[in-house]
Amino acid sequence: MPAENILEVSHLQAQYDGLQVLFDVSFQVLRGQIVGFVGSNGAGKTTTLRAVTGLTRATGGSVVYEGREITNKKACQLPALGMVMVPEGRRLFPKMSVRDNLMMGAFLCRDKKRIAESLEQVYSIFPRVKERSKQLAGTLSGGEQQMVAIARGLMTGPKLLILDEPSLGLMPKLVEEVFEFVREINHMGITIIIVEQNVTETLQMCDYAYVIQNGATVIHGTGASMLDSAEIRSAYLGL
């Protein structure tokens, strides 16, 4: 039986600050995959995520999630459908405790038992988050804040978790740790889209990847095939 698409994006177009940024972005994500977007700064990777999740209005194209057209659906409606984005910059509530930040991720759930189970699950993945649960989020290190941001996303019970630059600003050792967390989350059955500046590490981890350049998808393939192609590495990845 063929694998099922959880997300299919066709000919997506979008503007940012009145300027056309996306011209023709198309991709599909199979359920259970880790799919990466790579490309130079300003290529349109983050705008793609924002247009898919309703944070930026799409001016053309379509976004289909689990067979349902969701183009320009409000961002606040997507977590209930199982699509959650952890944005670049973490966006924690710095004057709230770590635990309270996590509970914000469970705001749609009214089942206290399920919330408690989700909390224990994220604590098992991120032991340091459990250790820091009573601390104010703003007092954590950058790496710890990133763990809390991902953990908060998991508290929604996502089917599709979208990560925008999760390793940005982190030391190399912590970057490796974040990538291990991403693998572990995927092994739980959660589909993942990741935009990353660490191209080699991303392609090594991804089942499939897309290169976005000048607001369009220009090439795609397995992460391994992209790393194996000297032409692709030189022309598109800067490696």
Side-chain angles (χ1 to χ4, degrees):
M1 192 168 93
E4 173 192 2
N5 283 350
I6 190 171
L7 183 69
E8 188 164 1
V9 174
S10 301
H11 308 295
L12 192 64
Q13 300 175 35
Q15 297 180 351
Y16 190 78
D17 285 342
L19 296 175
Q20 185 87 4
V21 176
L22 301 185
F23 296 90
D24 187 10
V25 173
S26 298
F27 64 91
Q28 62 181 18
V29 180
L30 300 182
R31 193 177 298 277
Q33 281 188 329
I34 300 177
V35 171
F37 294 145
V38 294
S40 60
N41 289 336
K45 303 185 300 296
T46 292
T47 304
T48 296
L49 299 188
R50 290 179 60 86
V52 166
T53 57
L55 293 170
T56 294
R57 181 169 179 77
T59 56
S62 67
V63 180
V64 177
Y65 171 73
E66 291 197 314
R68 175 190 303 189
E69 174 82 35
I70 63 164
T71 312
N72 289 325
K73 202 170 186 68
K74 291 180 180 178
C76 61
Q77 297 175 303
L78 297 184
L81 301 179
M83 183 193 294
V84 174
M85 183 163 87
V86 178
E88 179 185 342
R90 296 142 200 168
R91 309 287 177 90
L92 300 180
F93 298 97
K95 295 185 178 180
M96 290 171 56
S97 71
V98 167
R99 188 181 188 280
D100 285 344
N101 268 273
L102 296 180
M103 295 304 288
M104 291 296 290
F107 74 98
L108 287 175
C109 185
R110 297 292 178 263
D111 185 337
K112 291 184 178 180
K113 182 180 178 183
R114 185 176 165 192
I115 292 173
E117 289 172 350
S118 295
L119 196 60
E120 284 307 307
Q121 183 181 55
V122 300
Y123 281 162
S124 70
I125 299 170
F126 301 102
R128 254 180 294 171
V129 171
K130 184 175 184 178
E131 292 170 9
R132 305 286 194 269
S133 62
K134 295 181 181 179
Q135 278 187 233
L136 296 183
T139 67
L140 302 180
S141 69
E144 290 167 344
Q145 287 188 19
Q146 187 60 68
M147 292 175 200
V148 175
I150 297 173
R152 182 178 60 186
L154 289 176
M155 287 294 294
T156 66
K159 302 174 188 176
L160 173 61
L161 185 66
I162 301 174
L163 304 173
D164 189 9
E165 300 282 9
S167 75
L168 188 66
L170 300 184
M171 296 182 297
K173 182 179 178 181
L174 291 176
V175 171
E176 291 177 17
E177 208 168 340
V178 166
F179 275 78
E180 281 303 314
F181 291 140
V182 172
R183 290 186 182 93
E184 186 172 349
I185 292 165
N186 179 246
H187 289 157
M188 293 163 49
I190 297 172
T191 307
I192 292 173
I193 293 175
I194 183 169
V195 162
E196 251 300 331
Q197 59 182 343
N198 289 285
V199 174
T200 300
E201 293 88 341
T202 301
L203 294 179
Q204 287 172 342
M205 176 178 67
C206 287
D207 298 298
Y208 210 80
Y210 292 82
V211 177
I212 297 180
Q213 191 174 62
N214 299 322
T217 42
V218 293
I219 197 163
H220 56 89
T222 64
S225 68
M226 288 194 183
L227 282 173
D228 287 343
S229 169
E231 182 180 355
I232 292 174
R233 286 165 58 92
S234 173
Y236 298 109
L237 306 178
L239 298 176

